[in-house]
Amino acid sequence: MKPLADCKLYTFLDTAYLHGRAPELVAQQLCDGGSDLIQLRAKNSAADEIRAMAERILPVTRRAGVGLVINDHLEIAQAVGAEFCHMGQEDFFEAGHHDISEIRNPKSELRIGLSTHAPAQAQRALVAGADYIAIGPFYPTGTKPGAKPVTLEYVRWAATNATVPWFAIGGINLQTLEAVLQAGAKRVCVVSAILNAPDVVKACAEFKSRVG
Ligand code: TZP
Ligand code: MG
């Protein structure tokens, strides 16, 4: 896969939006549309189902040179050989961790991303040694109902202060994208605007052409 700093479009295989489609098929469409990273996010699936899905997706992402991120499940990410695991504030800091070295197997190449919702959370994620951070949500989103949107001021803060690659997330669609880019984002996460589009490859490619 390309260096993380060059990864601009981070898309998702969120099982809530699959509507019966095979995960490896959608993974192929996300790759064909130009995703640089793909996260497997399966909030309502059991660990063995998530592992089985990851094993079906990984050959697709590998062939395309796209990094696979496993949400929440560190052991699965490590076991299947995914490139990344993504964790929220509650999975990491609120679970009592302070430094990524506490959870990373020193023999593994697994990289860790952390969600952040405010500059103070970003600062502690950077100190903890996160390989990347996600910042947001910027707009209300059905993908994470109840998450309170933050202002674009947070993008401006990250543009000046973040020392690892950072991705803007939350309610980003082809209409809201411009404001996020204008505020200084260079990398974005897009979930529903791509997975709910009539043509996933085309939607993905549209975002890719806008973020470079
Ligand atoms: N974390 C913050 S917002 C969000 C996550 C996982 C969901 C983003 O989904 P969408 O559909 O792109 O708004
Ligand atoms: Mg989580």
Side-chain angles (χ1 to χ4, degrees):
M1 64 165 277
K2 54 170 78 158
L4 188 53
D6 297 340
C7 292
K8 304 286 177 62
L9 180 61
Y10 182 164
T11 64
F12 284 54
L13 257 170
D14 188 321
T15 51
Y17 295 123
L18 285 182
H19 305 303
R21 292 174 290 183
E24 62 274 28
L25 234 139
V26 178
Q28 187 63 61
Q29 293 170 338
L30 294 172
C31 290
D32 291 346
S35 300
D36 298 309
L37 293 168
I38 297 176
Q39 180 181 128
L40 174 59
R41 183 175 191 263
K43 285 292 182 189
N44 297 314
S45 305
D48 57 337
E49 289 176 293
I50 297 174
R51 182 177 172 147
M53 273 190 274
E55 283 169 343
R56 283 160 64 184
I57 295 162
L58 202 49
V60 176
T61 54
R62 281 273 158 80
R63 212 164 38 236
V66 169
L68 180 65
V69 185
I70 305 294
N71 190 38
D72 293 337
H73 293 270
L74 186 68
E75 328 70 51
I76 297 176
Q78 232 136 26
V80 303
E83 285 79 12
F84 297 89
C85 181
H86 186 89
M87 302 174 95
Q89 291 283 309
E90 65 287 1
D91 307 311
F92 190 76
F93 295 107
E94 288 159 33
H97 301 300
H98 300 92
D99 195 286
I100 294 294
S101 64
E102 294 161 27
I103 59 164
R104 185 169 20 215
N105 178 337
K107 289 195 195 112
S108 130
E109 310 245 296
L110 184 72
R111 287 180 277 174
I112 311 284
L114 294 177
S115 290
T116 70
H117 316 296
Q121 293 183 349
Q123 254 151 351
R124 70 176 180 175
L126 297 172
V127 170
D131 292 288
Y132 74 82
I133 56 174
I135 77 164
F138 291 100
Y139 304 96
T141 170
T143 308
K144 202 163 184 170
K148 194 169 162 281
V150 297
T151 69
L152 288 172
E153 202 46 52
Y154 189 20
V155 171
R156 290 185 268 274
W157 180 89
T160 317
N161 295 285
T163 51
V164 295
W166 55 278
F167 295 83
I169 188 167
I172 298 179
N173 56 40
L174 286 167
Q175 286 71 50
T176 57
L177 177 65
E178 199 47 45
V180 175
L181 298 179
Q182 283 287 323
K186 297 204 167 3
R187 303 178 196 84
V188 295
C189 292
V190 185
V191 189
S192 53
I194 289 177
L195 289 179
N196 289 342
D199 183 333
V200 168
V201 180
K202 187 161 165 265
C204 206
E206 273 167 11
F207 280 97
K208 187 61 182 277
S209 71
R210 301 269 296 270
V211 291

